[in-house]
Amino acid sequence: YGSGGINVTSSFASAFWYLDELGESAKKSIQVHCRQALVGGHYGLTRRLGDRLVPRPDYFATKLWAAVMGPRVLSAQIRDPSIEDAYAPAPVADCRAYAHCHRTQIGDVSLVVLNGASRV
């Protein structure tokens, strides 16, 4: 079998997709996200290297999300500063922000910002 894409789902770039997936799921009140594979194919969170497992970038994204993003989801937006309309803020295309109450630090907020734009 060949789950995932060679040098795509096993790469650093895949972590952005995965964090976006976790953020969108949380906004929809989905509390559990099951990954297809821990090991195997090009989609696993880890890969085999001899007799040990080596984490891939999505593994670290998952660990970071679990450590800091608490269950309470907050509203977060990235607005285009060139459009001055307080009643209809324009979101920045290809950029996403996810905010949650911090998992362990009461009163703190954890923020994930993803810039998928081809230019900054």
PDB file of all heavy atoms in Angstrom, residues 3-31:
ATOM      1  N   SER A   3       0.008   4.732   1.365  1.00  0.00           N
ATOM      2  CA  SER A   3      -0.780   5.837   1.920  1.00  0.00           C
ATOM      3  C   SER A   3       0.026   7.126   1.924  1.00  0.00           C
ATOM      4  O   SER A   3       1.214   7.144   2.180  1.00  0.00           O
ATOM      5  CB  SER A   3      -1.242   5.502   3.329  1.00  0.00           C
ATOM      6  OG  SER A   3      -0.132   5.373   4.193  1.00  0.00           O
ATOM      7  N   GLY A   4      -0.624   8.209   1.625  1.00  0.00           N
ATOM      8  CA  GLY A   4       0.033   9.499   1.585  1.00  0.00           C
ATOM      9  C   GLY A   4       0.832   9.677   0.311  1.00  0.00           C
ATOM     10  O   GLY A   4       0.823   8.845  -0.582  1.00  0.00           O
ATOM     11  N   GLY A   5       1.511  10.795   0.235  1.00  0.00           N
ATOM     12  CA  GLY A   5       2.315  11.088  -0.942  1.00  0.00           C
ATOM     13  C   GLY A   5       3.789  11.120  -0.589  1.00  0.00           C
ATOM     14  O   GLY A   5       4.183  11.686   0.432  1.00  0.00           O
ATOM     15  N   ILE A   6       4.614  10.534  -1.428  1.00  0.00           N
ATOM     16  CA  ILE A   6       6.062  10.506  -1.180  1.00  0.00           C
ATOM     17  C   ILE A   6       6.574  11.941  -1.072  1.00  0.00           C
ATOM     18  O   ILE A   6       6.285  12.788  -1.914  1.00  0.00           O
ATOM     19  CB  ILE A   6       6.776   9.747  -2.315  1.00  0.00           C
ATOM     20  CG1 ILE A   6       6.326   8.291  -2.337  1.00  0.00           C
ATOM     21  CG2 ILE A   6       8.289   9.834  -2.152  1.00  0.00           C
ATOM     22  CD1 ILE A   6       6.840   7.504  -3.520  1.00  0.00           C
ATOM     23  N   ASN A   7       7.319  12.207  -0.030  1.00  0.00           N
ATOM     24  CA  ASN A   7       7.917  13.523   0.247  1.00  0.00           C
ATOM     25  C   ASN A   7       6.892  14.648   0.400  1.00  0.00           C
ATOM     26  O   ASN A   7       7.241  15.815   0.283  1.00  0.00           O
ATOM     27  CB  ASN A   7       8.935  13.884  -0.831  1.00  0.00           C
ATOM     28  CG  ASN A   7      10.089  12.914  -0.867  1.00  0.00           C
ATOM     29  OD1 ASN A   7      10.521  12.407   0.169  1.00  0.00           O
ATOM     30  ND2 ASN A   7      10.586  12.620  -2.047  1.00  0.00           N
ATOM     31  N   VAL A   8       5.639  14.298   0.644  1.00  0.00           N
ATOM     32  CA  VAL A   8       4.614  15.309   0.893  1.00  0.00           C
ATOM     33  C   VAL A   8       4.048  15.106   2.291  1.00  0.00           C
ATOM     34  O   VAL A   8       4.262  15.917   3.181  1.00  0.00           O
ATOM     35  CB  VAL A   8       3.483  15.265  -0.165  1.00  0.00           C
ATOM     36  CG1 VAL A   8       2.397  16.280   0.167  1.00  0.00           C
ATOM     37  CG2 VAL A   8       4.042  15.513  -1.543  1.00  0.00           C
ATOM     38  N   THR A   9       3.312  14.010   2.490  1.00  0.00           N
ATOM     39  CA  THR A   9       2.689  13.785   3.794  1.00  0.00           C
ATOM     40  C   THR A   9       3.705  13.408   4.866  1.00  0.00           C
ATOM     41  O   THR A   9       3.378  13.415   6.046  1.00  0.00           O
ATOM     42  CB  THR A   9       1.600  12.694   3.710  1.00  0.00           C
ATOM     43  OG1 THR A   9       2.143  11.543   3.076  1.00  0.00           O
ATOM     44  CG2 THR A   9       0.407  13.186   2.932  1.00  0.00           C
ATOM     45  N   SER A  10       4.917  13.134   4.481  1.00  0.00           N
ATOM     46  CA  SER A  10       5.963  12.831   5.466  1.00  0.00           C
ATOM     47  C   SER A  10       6.897  14.020   5.665  1.00  0.00           C
ATOM     48  O   SER A  10       7.913  13.900   6.328  1.00  0.00           O
ATOM     49  CB  SER A  10       6.779  11.619   4.998  1.00  0.00           C
ATOM     50  OG  SER A  10       7.397  11.894   3.754  1.00  0.00           O
ATOM     51  N   SER A  11       6.540  15.187   5.115  1.00  0.00           N
ATOM     52  CA  SER A  11       7.431  16.347   5.148  1.00  0.00           C
ATOM     53  C   SER A  11       6.969  17.398   6.152  1.00  0.00           C
ATOM     54  O   SER A  11       5.856  17.342   6.680  1.00  0.00           O
ATOM     55  CB  SER A  11       7.497  16.983   3.759  1.00  0.00           C
ATOM     56  OG  SER A  11       6.266  17.633   3.475  1.00  0.00           O
ATOM     57  N   PHE A  12       7.803  18.393   6.353  1.00  0.00           N
ATOM     58  CA  PHE A  12       7.492  19.506   7.245  1.00  0.00           C
ATOM     59  C   PHE A  12       6.230  20.237   6.779  1.00  0.00           C
ATOM     60  O   PHE A  12       5.418  20.662   7.584  1.00  0.00           O
ATOM     61  CB  PHE A  12       8.691  20.463   7.294  1.00  0.00           C
ATOM     62  CG  PHE A  12       8.451  21.700   8.096  1.00  0.00           C
ATOM     63  CD1 PHE A  12       8.433  21.661   9.477  1.00  0.00           C
ATOM     64  CD2 PHE A  12       8.232  22.909   7.467  1.00  0.00           C
ATOM     65  CE1 PHE A  12       8.206  22.802  10.222  1.00  0.00           C
ATOM     66  CE2 PHE A  12       8.004  24.058   8.198  1.00  0.00           C
ATOM     67  CZ  PHE A  12       7.993  24.009   9.571  1.00  0.00           C
ATOM     68  N   ALA A  13       6.054  20.377   5.470  1.00  0.00           N
ATOM     69  CA  ALA A  13       4.888  21.090   4.929  1.00  0.00           C
ATOM     70  C   ALA A  13       3.579  20.435   5.350  1.00  0.00           C
ATOM     71  O   ALA A  13       2.564  21.114   5.513  1.00  0.00           O
ATOM     72  CB  ALA A  13       4.984  21.178   3.417  1.00  0.00           C
ATOM     73  N   SER A  14       3.583  19.125   5.530  1.00  0.00           N
ATOM     74  CA  SER A  14       2.372  18.412   5.923  1.00  0.00           C
ATOM     75  C   SER A  14       1.881  18.851   7.296  1.00  0.00           C
ATOM     76  O   SER A  14       0.684  18.820   7.573  1.00  0.00           O
ATOM     77  CB  SER A  14       2.628  16.906   5.929  1.00  0.00           C
ATOM     78  OG  SER A  14       1.481  16.213   6.366  1.00  0.00           O
ATOM     79  N   ALA A  15       2.787  19.282   8.159  1.00  0.00           N
ATOM     80  CA  ALA A  15       2.409  19.713   9.508  1.00  0.00           C
ATOM     81  C   ALA A  15       1.444  20.897   9.454  1.00  0.00           C
ATOM     82  O   ALA A  15       0.559  21.023  10.301  1.00  0.00           O
ATOM     83  CB  ALA A  15       3.635  20.048  10.334  1.00  0.00           C
ATOM     84  N   PHE A  16       1.586  21.770   8.453  1.00  0.00           N
ATOM     85  CA  PHE A  16       0.664  22.902   8.320  1.00  0.00           C
ATOM     86  C   PHE A  16      -0.743  22.404   8.003  1.00  0.00           C
ATOM     87  O   PHE A  16      -1.724  22.885   8.566  1.00  0.00           O
ATOM     88  CB  PHE A  16       1.149  23.867   7.227  1.00  0.00           C
ATOM     89  CG  PHE A  16       2.384  24.621   7.623  1.00  0.00           C
ATOM     90  CD1 PHE A  16       3.622  24.207   7.192  1.00  0.00           C
ATOM     91  CD2 PHE A  16       2.294  25.734   8.441  1.00  0.00           C
ATOM     92  CE1 PHE A  16       4.762  24.890   7.563  1.00  0.00           C
ATOM     93  CE2 PHE A  16       3.423  26.428   8.822  1.00  0.00           C
ATOM     94  CZ  PHE A  16       4.664  26.001   8.379  1.00  0.00           C
ATOM     95  N   TRP A  17      -0.837  21.448   7.083  1.00  0.00           N
ATOM     96  CA  TRP A  17      -2.141  20.867   6.764  1.00  0.00           C
ATOM     97  C   TRP A  17      -2.737  20.213   8.011  1.00  0.00           C
ATOM     98  O   TRP A  17      -3.923  20.375   8.302  1.00  0.00           O
ATOM     99  CB  TRP A  17      -2.013  19.823   5.641  1.00  0.00           C
ATOM    100  CG  TRP A  17      -3.292  19.061   5.468  1.00  0.00           C
ATOM    101  CD1 TRP A  17      -4.374  19.421   4.724  1.00  0.00           C
ATOM    102  CD2 TRP A  17      -3.638  17.824   6.113  1.00  0.00           C
ATOM    103  NE1 TRP A  17      -5.371  18.474   4.855  1.00  0.00           N
ATOM    104  CE2 TRP A  17      -4.947  17.484   5.703  1.00  0.00           C
ATOM    105  CE3 TRP A  17      -2.974  16.978   6.987  1.00  0.00           C
ATOM    106  CZ2 TRP A  17      -5.589  16.340   6.147  1.00  0.00           C
ATOM    107  CZ3 TRP A  17      -3.620  15.836   7.428  1.00  0.00           C
ATOM    108  CH2 TRP A  17      -4.914  15.532   7.000  1.00  0.00           C
ATOM    109  N   TYR A  18      -1.916  19.476   8.750  1.00  0.00           N
ATOM    110  CA  TYR A  18      -2.418  18.741   9.901  1.00  0.00           C
ATOM    111  C   TYR A  18      -2.875  19.692  11.009  1.00  0.00           C
ATOM    112  O   TYR A  18      -3.925  19.486  11.626  1.00  0.00           O
ATOM    113  CB  TYR A  18      -1.343  17.775  10.402  1.00  0.00           C
ATOM    114  CG  TYR A  18      -1.879  16.743  11.364  1.00  0.00           C
ATOM    115  CD1 TYR A  18      -3.025  16.027  11.082  1.00  0.00           C
ATOM    116  CD2 TYR A  18      -1.235  16.491  12.562  1.00  0.00           C
ATOM    117  CE1 TYR A  18      -3.526  15.081  11.959  1.00  0.00           C
ATOM    118  CE2 TYR A  18      -1.724  15.541  13.444  1.00  0.00           C
ATOM    119  CZ  TYR A  18      -2.867  14.842  13.137  1.00  0.00           C
ATOM    120  OH  TYR A  18      -3.355  13.919  14.008  1.00  0.00           O
ATOM    121  N   LEU A  19      -2.123  20.754  11.265  1.00  0.00           N
ATOM    122  CA  LEU A  19      -2.544  21.735  12.273  1.00  0.00           C
ATOM    123  C   LEU A  19      -3.844  22.420  11.843  1.00  0.00           C
ATOM    124  O   LEU A  19      -4.709  22.685  12.671  1.00  0.00           O
ATOM    125  CB  LEU A  19      -1.445  22.766  12.507  1.00  0.00           C
ATOM    126  CG  LEU A  19      -0.230  22.258  13.275  1.00  0.00           C
ATOM    127  CD1 LEU A  19       0.903  23.268  13.217  1.00  0.00           C
ATOM    128  CD2 LEU A  19      -0.595  21.943  14.719  1.00  0.00           C
ATOM    129  N   ASP A  20      -3.976  22.683  10.547  1.00  0.00           N
ATOM    130  CA  ASP A  20      -5.209  23.269  10.037  1.00  0.00           C
ATOM    131  C   ASP A  20      -6.383  22.307  10.255  1.00  0.00           C
ATOM    132  O   ASP A  20      -7.475  22.713  10.656  1.00  0.00           O
ATOM    133  CB  ASP A  20      -5.057  23.612   8.558  1.00  0.00           C
ATOM    134  CG  ASP A  20      -6.211  24.437   8.030  1.00  0.00           C
ATOM    135  OD1 ASP A  20      -6.650  25.381   8.716  1.00  0.00           O
ATOM    136  OD2 ASP A  20      -6.674  24.133   6.916  1.00  0.00           O
ATOM    137  N   GLU A  21      -6.151  21.030  10.006  1.00  0.00           N
ATOM    138  CA  GLU A  21      -7.182  20.012  10.227  1.00  0.00           C
ATOM    139  C   GLU A  21      -7.592  19.959  11.703  1.00  0.00           C
ATOM    140  O   GLU A  21      -8.784  19.903  12.035  1.00  0.00           O
ATOM    141  CB  GLU A  21      -6.659  18.646   9.785  1.00  0.00           C
ATOM    142  CG  GLU A  21      -7.641  17.520   9.931  1.00  0.00           C
ATOM    143  CD  GLU A  21      -8.743  17.539   8.895  1.00  0.00           C
ATOM    144  OE1 GLU A  21      -8.613  18.220   7.875  1.00  0.00           O
ATOM    145  OE2 GLU A  21      -9.754  16.861   9.137  1.00  0.00           O
ATOM    146  N   LEU A  22      -6.634  20.000  12.606  1.00  0.00           N
ATOM    147  CA  LEU A  22      -6.937  19.995  14.039  1.00  0.00           C
ATOM    148  C   LEU A  22      -7.716  21.246  14.439  1.00  0.00           C
ATOM    149  O   LEU A  22      -8.672  21.177  15.211  1.00  0.00           O
ATOM    150  CB  LEU A  22      -5.643  19.882  14.854  1.00  0.00           C
ATOM    151  CG  LEU A  22      -4.900  18.555  14.740  1.00  0.00           C
ATOM    152  CD1 LEU A  22      -3.542  18.645  15.443  1.00  0.00           C
ATOM    153  CD2 LEU A  22      -5.714  17.415  15.313  1.00  0.00           C
ATOM    154  N   GLY A  23      -7.311  22.400  13.902  1.00  0.00           N
ATOM    155  CA  GLY A  23      -7.989  23.658  14.227  1.00  0.00           C
ATOM    156  C   GLY A  23      -9.414  23.694  13.725  1.00  0.00           C
ATOM    157  O   GLY A  23     -10.335  24.088  14.450  1.00  0.00           O
ATOM    158  N   GLU A  24      -9.622  23.284  12.480  1.00  0.00           N
ATOM    159  CA  GLU A  24     -10.976  23.276  11.920  1.00  0.00           C
ATOM    160  C   GLU A  24     -11.865  22.273  12.655  1.00  0.00           C
ATOM    161  O   GLU A  24     -13.050  22.537  12.886  1.00  0.00           O
ATOM    162  CB  GLU A  24     -10.942  22.964  10.423  1.00  0.00           C
ATOM    163  CG  GLU A  24     -10.402  24.108   9.577  1.00  0.00           C
ATOM    164  CD  GLU A  24     -11.239  25.370   9.672  1.00  0.00           C
ATOM    165  OE1 GLU A  24     -12.479  25.286   9.565  1.00  0.00           O
ATOM    166  OE2 GLU A  24     -10.652  26.449   9.851  1.00  0.00           O
ATOM    167  N   SER A  25     -11.314  21.141  13.026  1.00  0.00           N
ATOM    168  CA  SER A  25     -12.091  20.141  13.774  1.00  0.00           C
ATOM    169  C   SER A  25     -12.516  20.705  15.129  1.00  0.00           C
ATOM    170  O   SER A  25     -13.670  20.535  15.551  1.00  0.00           O
ATOM    171  CB  SER A  25     -11.266  18.870  13.974  1.00  0.00           C
ATOM    172  OG  SER A  25     -11.001  18.250  12.742  1.00  0.00           O
ATOM    173  N   ALA A  26     -11.595  21.384  15.807  1.00  0.00           N
ATOM    174  CA  ALA A  26     -11.909  21.952  17.124  1.00  0.00           C
ATOM    175  C   ALA A  26     -12.996  23.026  17.012  1.00  0.00           C
ATOM    176  O   ALA A  26     -13.890  23.094  17.859  1.00  0.00           O
ATOM    177  CB  ALA A  26     -10.644  22.535  17.748  1.00  0.00           C
ATOM    178  N   LYS A  27     -12.941  23.843  15.966  1.00  0.00           N
ATOM    179  CA  LYS A  27     -13.973  24.875  15.764  1.00  0.00           C
ATOM    180  C   LYS A  27     -15.352  24.262  15.574  1.00  0.00           C
ATOM    181  O   LYS A  27     -16.359  24.879  15.903  1.00  0.00           O
ATOM    182  CB  LYS A  27     -13.626  25.745  14.557  1.00  0.00           C
ATOM    183  CG  LYS A  27     -12.569  26.775  14.847  1.00  0.00           C
ATOM    184  CD  LYS A  27     -12.096  27.586  13.658  1.00  0.00           C
ATOM    185  CE  LYS A  27     -13.054  27.854  12.564  1.00  0.00           C
ATOM    186  NZ  LYS A  27     -12.486  28.695  11.489  1.00  0.00           N
ATOM    187  N   LYS A  28     -15.401  23.040  15.063  1.00  0.00           N
ATOM    188  CA  LYS A  28     -16.670  22.349  14.842  1.00  0.00           C
ATOM    189  C   LYS A  28     -17.051  21.477  16.040  1.00  0.00           C
ATOM    190  O   LYS A  28     -17.920  20.617  15.935  1.00  0.00           O
ATOM    191  CB  LYS A  28     -16.582  21.501  13.579  1.00  0.00           C
ATOM    192  CG  LYS A  28     -16.402  22.343  12.337  1.00  0.00           C
ATOM    193  CD  LYS A  28     -16.118  21.491  11.131  1.00  0.00           C
ATOM    194  CE  LYS A  28     -15.859  22.401   9.935  1.00  0.00           C
ATOM    195  NZ  LYS A  28     -15.164  21.737   8.851  1.00  0.00           N
ATOM    196  N   SER A  29     -16.366  21.680  17.160  1.00  0.00           N
ATOM    197  CA  SER A  29     -16.616  20.948  18.415  1.00  0.00           C
ATOM    198  C   SER A  29     -16.314  19.464  18.315  1.00  0.00           C
ATOM    199  O   SER A  29     -16.846  18.658  19.075  1.00  0.00           O
ATOM    200  CB  SER A  29     -18.058  21.152  18.901  1.00  0.00           C
ATOM    201  OG  SER A  29     -18.286  22.523  19.147  1.00  0.00           O
ATOM    202  N   ILE A  30     -15.467  19.087  17.388  1.00  0.00           N
ATOM    203  CA  ILE A  30     -15.015  17.701  17.310  1.00  0.00           C
ATOM    204  C   ILE A  30     -13.904  17.541  18.342  1.00  0.00           C
ATOM    205  O   ILE A  30     -12.889  18.213  18.272  1.00  0.00           O
ATOM    206  CB  ILE A  30     -14.521  17.357  15.892  1.00  0.00           C
ATOM    207  CG1 ILE A  30     -15.693  17.478  14.911  1.00  0.00           C
ATOM    208  CG2 ILE A  30     -13.905  15.966  15.845  1.00  0.00           C
ATOM    209  CD1 ILE A  30     -15.300  17.371  13.456  1.00  0.00           C
ATOM    210  N   GLN A  31     -14.100  16.670  19.298  1.00  0.00           N
ATOM    211  CA  GLN A  31     -13.181  16.563  20.427  1.00  0.00           C
ATOM    212  C   GLN A  31     -12.115  15.490  20.258  1.00  0.00           C
ATOM    213  O   GLN A  31     -11.143  15.464  20.995  1.00  0.00           O
ATOM    214  CB  GLN A  31     -13.970  16.327  21.704  1.00  0.00           C
ATOM    215  CG  GLN A  31     -14.876  17.500  22.023  1.00  0.00           C
ATOM    216  CD  GLN A  31     -15.697  17.255  23.265  1.00  0.00           C
ATOM    217  OE1 GLN A  31     -15.708  16.183  23.835  1.00  0.00           O
ATOM    218  NE2 GLN A  31     -16.404  18.283  23.686  1.00  0.00           N
TER     219      GLN A  31
END
